[in-house]
Amino acid sequence: MNNNSDAIVVGAGLAGLVAAAELADAGKTVTLVDQEGENSLGGQAHWSLGGLFLVDSPEQRRMRIKDSAELALQDWLGSAGFDRAEDHWPRKTAEAFIEFAAGEMRAWLHGQGMRWFPVVGWAERGGSTATGHGNSVPRFHITWGTGPGVVAPFERRVRDHMDKGRITLKTRHRVSRVLTTDGRVTGVAGEVLAPSTVARGERSSRDVTGDFELRAGAVLVTSGGIGGNHDLVREYWPRDRLGEPPASMVSGVPHHVDGRMIAITREAGAAVINSDRMWHYTEGLKNWNPIWPNHGIRIIPGPSSMWFDANGRRLPAPCLPGYDTLATLKEILRSGHDYSWFVLDQSIIEKEFALSGSEQNPDMTSGQWKEVLKSRLGKGAPPPVEAFKRHGEDFVVADDLKTLVDGMNRLTGEHRIDYQRLHAELAARDRQMDNPYAKDAQITAIHGARHYLGDKLFRAAKPHKMLDPAHGPLIAVRLHILTRKTLGGLHTNVDGQVLGTDGQPVPGLYAAGEVAGFGGGGYHGYNALEGTFLGGCIFSGRNAGRHAATVV
């Protein structure tokens, strides 16, 4: 069948919703296609914690955080490490995003009804030099309602345009070809999949019931990354920087985050850059109550858990909880194994453990203060954390260290953890607690974190000796590598126009969100600063939608 509209948006995740809404706001007709069902609108963003990277916000100023566009750009460039000729547009996109995040971003989102938790989080702290990787200050603004709260205003705009006939939503439509005519992109074609009744995030069928072909003046690809496709993750793995990919990983994204559209769009003339840049977390848990296949959940840790590799060797700074993800990933894989351990106690888990994801934070997802206070300041860890502690296969809980070590070795069946060595590490660490200063980098980091009021209230436990039974029981958590974000992808300029191998825009072709490395073909460079994934989807989707509206 043939359908005509001004623009086609391929992928109904956050970037796709933003792009479609902007196109329709400009009076254009849009066909929005997605291989999943209508209940999957918002894509991976729905499952997120809803953190946004904002600069010099009212929330920061109320927490006495001094931030600026200049400091944010310094942090970004120190993290990105742009070093290739093809990083021209990624860098330009990063500079434009910083200007957006320090300028109109908050007011624009606030005007659409978005609100944020008043305590700003301090994610990806770096821990090396002022010009190196990491956030110098807290910038992680958690949206009230978490991921669904981020998606809501854009889904609302899209559905309003659907009611008015400007946007047509075609779910269970899997694009397999980008169509071109005389060098210009003019549509897409693919397969109609069988209707699906599975819940959001669950694996849906790929049974084909027919074909389709759609024509339009522009095609915007917003189909997401490769995190659900471990074969692609391993194919693109940066072996020169990180070594061999893990033999085993858990998935931080649903199975439909499959990366298909990257190769499909390349066949239409698009350039793909920075495929070796990716962002996978080191604090993954096997979900005891999974939604999608091999479902992993990330621990968002405070600064106090001690981190050991599979052999029981303590990881060196800056491989501290919450400081430098890629450095820690490299250090873990250097051990020759694909898992590591947190060792902590009950006092630490109650204050410092949070789990990433909207479904793991029902209090913040509810947007109700009373639920947050009851969950975060009540007795024990937040209920989802306590549930993992009780039911999760990666948790070992014991009243003494010898029993804990026995449980760790029993869990893996490898007997790599030596009691005497682990006891010596914990005892040495505890001796650093006798003074409000220390030479141990992690203890210094804990004291530093507690100078920030937000961490002192919500994220950093009061320094104490871990072998003190008063803070027990002791807890060990086996951590897996968790796939998540694709940092490279379709090469675009700041306006979202997809570039060909000659560096010139492919007429009629746009891309936004994770499929474009969140903008430019990889605006993070080698490292990410957190809150920049959802923010990148919003920014690049807005740019692509607005520019496409001027040419169709």
Side-chain angles (χ1 to χ4, degrees):
M1 62 182 175
N2 277 284
N3 292 66
N4 297 297
S5 57
D6 292 322
I8 299 166
V9 177
V10 183
L14 179 59
L17 293 178
V18 176
E22 292 293 326
L23 279 157
D25 280 357
K28 307 302 178 180
T29 57
V30 182
T31 304
L32 178 59
V33 301
D34 197 282
Q35 65 181 344
E36 296 303 303
E38 186 169 344
N39 65 348
S40 288
L41 283 182
Q44 174 57 20
H46 169 89
W47 300 104
S48 74
L49 187 57
L52 294 175
F53 180 101
L54 296 171
V55 178
D56 193 26
S57 69
E59 289 78 15
Q60 286 177 303
R61 293 194 290 272
R62 281 194 290 267
M63 297 298 296
R64 300 179 182 177
I65 299 165
K66 295 181 180 180
D67 199 7
S68 67
E70 293 78 14
L71 181 61
L73 183 60
Q74 174 181 301
D75 287 347
W76 193 291
L77 296 180
S79 298
F82 295 125
D83 61 358
R84 302 176 185 176
E86 57 263 41
D87 284 331
H88 170 79
W89 284 116
R91 177 169 180 148
K92 289 293 185 183
T93 305
E95 292 169 349
F97 175 75
I98 292 294
E99 183 179 351
F100 179 60
E104 65 173 309
M105 180 177 177
R106 185 188 181 280
W108 184 64
L109 296 175
H110 189 278
Q112 296 181 67
M114 213 177 285
R115 300 293 184 269
W116 297 275
F117 186 62
V119 178
V120 183
W122 195 354
E124 202 65 17
R125 306 180 189 207
S128 52
T129 66
T131 56
H133 171 60
N135 284 298
S136 296
V137 298
R139 297 189 176 107
F140 193 74
H141 295 66
I142 298 177
T143 306
W144 277 115
T146 64
V150 174
V151 172
F154 302 106
E155 181 176 350
R156 185 166 54 246
R157 288 170 62 190
V158 165
R159 290 194 180 279
D160 180 60
H161 285 301
M162 289 169 59
D163 291 341
K164 295 174 181 176
R166 294 194 191 99
I167 294 178
T168 301
L169 175 64
K170 292 183 177 294
T171 58
R172 302 297 285 164
H173 279 56
R174 182 180 65 187
V175 172
S176 294
R177 288 183 295 143
V178 174
L179 306 176
T180 60
T181 304
D182 297 327
R184 180 180 182 85
V185 169
T186 54
V188 297
E191 301 78 43
V192 179
L193 303 179
S196 173
T197 59
V198 301
R200 178 192 285 269
E202 292 181 356
R203 181 191 290 274
S204 59
S205 81
R206 291 295 178 260
D207 296 336
V208 174
T209 63
D211 300 317
F212 73 91
E213 183 176 301
L214 302 169
R215 297 284 178 172
V219 172
L220 290 78
V221 180
T222 58
S223 54
I226 67 173
N229 186 336
H230 290 194
D231 289 338
L232 274 184
V233 169
R234 292 189 173 93
E235 179 181 343
Y236 295 139
W237 190 267
R239 289 170 171 81
D240 58 329
R241 290 186 286 114
L242 297 178
E244 289 299 308
S248 173
M249 297 179 282
V250 293
S251 289
V253 295
H255 78 107
H256 60 76
V257 185
D258 56 21
R260 291 180 70 253
M261 283 303 301
I262 297 175
I264 291 167
T265 312
R266 177 193 278 153
E267 291 175 3
V272 177
I273 62 172
N274 299 326
S275 296
D276 65 328
R277 299 179 185 179
M278 51 186 69
W279 190 256
H280 306 304
Y281 291 110
T282 50
E283 312 98 334
L285 303 172
K286 292 183 179 179
N287 195 345
W288 64 273
N289 188 23
I291 297 171
W292 54 79
N294 196 26
H295 189 174
I297 294 293
R298 184 200 173 199
I299 295 172
I300 303 177
S304 302
S305 297
M306 295 187 74
W307 209 333
F308 298 89
D309 68 16
N311 298 312
R313 178 182 67 92
R314 188 181 179 192
L315 301 187
C319 303
L320 307 174
Y323 278 74
D324 192 330
T325 294
L326 286 192
T328 305
L329 176 58
K330 183 176 182 179
E331 193 67 29
I332 289 170
L333 295 179
R334 193 170 72 87
S335 72
H337 302 277
D338 50 25
Y339 68 93
S340 61
W341 292 98
F342 273 169
V343 175
L344 59 149
D345 58 31
Q346 184 65 25
S347 293
I348 292 172
I349 200 172
E350 289 184 5
K351 186 83 169 186
E352 298 192 3
F353 265 36
L355 300 172
S356 183
S358 55
E359 83 283 11
Q360 299 296 332
N361 294 272
D363 53 345
M364 288 189 175
T365 302
S366 76
Q368 301 295 317
W369 258 113
K370 64 179 182 179
E371 296 298 324
V372 173
L373 294 175
K374 182 172 68 174
S375 175
R376 309 287 160 159
L377 300 181
K379 183 175 176 57
V385 175
E386 286 291 345
F388 263 90
K389 184 178 145 192
R390 289 194 306 272
H391 305 300
E393 66 178 81
D394 296 310
F395 280 72
V396 180
V397 182
D399 290 327
D400 62 86
L401 187 60
K402 182 65 169 64
T403 305
L404 188 78
V405 169
D406 290 343
M408 294 165 73
N409 286 326
R410 186 165 53 249
L411 177 61
T412 64
E414 296 177 352
H415 301 281
R416 296 184 177 277
I417 308 300
D418 179 76
Y419 165 74
Q420 294 295 340
R421 181 177 179 181
L422 190 62
H423 183 275
E425 287 281 9
L426 267 67
R429 177 249 188 223
D430 281 0
R431 294 185 193 103
Q432 298 283 298
M433 292 298 180
D434 290 331
N435 297 285
Y437 45 84
K439 73 173 184 178
D440 185 288
Q442 184 171 12
I443 306 305
T444 300
I446 294 169
H447 290 307
R450 287 177 60 82
H451 281 298
Y452 169 49
L453 181 60
D455 277 352
K456 188 172 184 178
L457 290 174
F458 286 96
R459 296 293 290 141
K462 185 176 181 181
H464 62 273
K465 295 185 176 183
M466 205 177 291
L467 293 175
D468 181 352
H471 293 279
L474 291 168
I475 302 165
V477 186
R478 179 178 59 180
L479 305 173
H480 305 268
I481 308 303
L482 179 137
T483 64
R484 184 62 66 84
K485 298 298 181 184
T486 309
L487 299 191
L490 299 176
H491 196 186
T492 73
N493 59 22
V494 178
D495 291 322
Q497 293 176 291
V498 174
L499 307 180
T501 54
D502 60 356
Q504 298 303 307
V506 177
L509 185 59
Y510 291 80
E514 192 173 353
V515 74
F518 300 92
Y523 88 147
H524 291 101
Y526 290 102
N527 280 301
L529 290 175
E530 298 292 0
T532 55
F533 302 123
L534 296 178
C537 288
I538 292 169
F539 179 64
S540 62
R542 188 176 94 143
N543 287 352
R546 289 185 175 185
H547 192 275
T550 68
V551 299
V552 297

